[in-house]
Amino acid sequence: PSKVELNKALGKLLNTLSSLKEKNPEHAKIPEVTHYVIQIYKKLNQGSKAKDLEKELMTTAPESKWAKFYK
């Protein structure tokens, strides 16, 4: 995907993530969406943002199937 497409996807994912957190901070989809955001940050060479979200994911959902990618 191009940088433009990645940024577009990132925007949609961040919107989804914030609305899920607003509705229910324990929502089951949050770890999955967080994982996808991390992957896009990595593709866009935004490693520090990716690392911050990895820490958040490991703190909030260490047992999720998405967290295993960052252990």
Side-chain angles (χ1 to χ4, degrees), residues 44-63:
L44 292 170
N45 295 318
Q46 296 182 4
S48 62
K49 288 183 179 179
K51 281 279 176 232
D52 291 344
L53 274 182
E54 282 177 31
K55 286 181 196 152
E56 181 183 314
L57 180 59
M58 295 305 294
T59 304
T60 57
E63 300 306 313

Side-chain angles (χ1 to χ4, degrees), residues 19-34:
S19 65
L20 286 174
K21 286 180 178 178
E22 275 178 38
K23 286 180 196 158
N24 175 6
E26 307 290 311
H27 197 287
K29 285 275 186 199
I30 290 175
E32 180 181 359
V33 176
T34 302

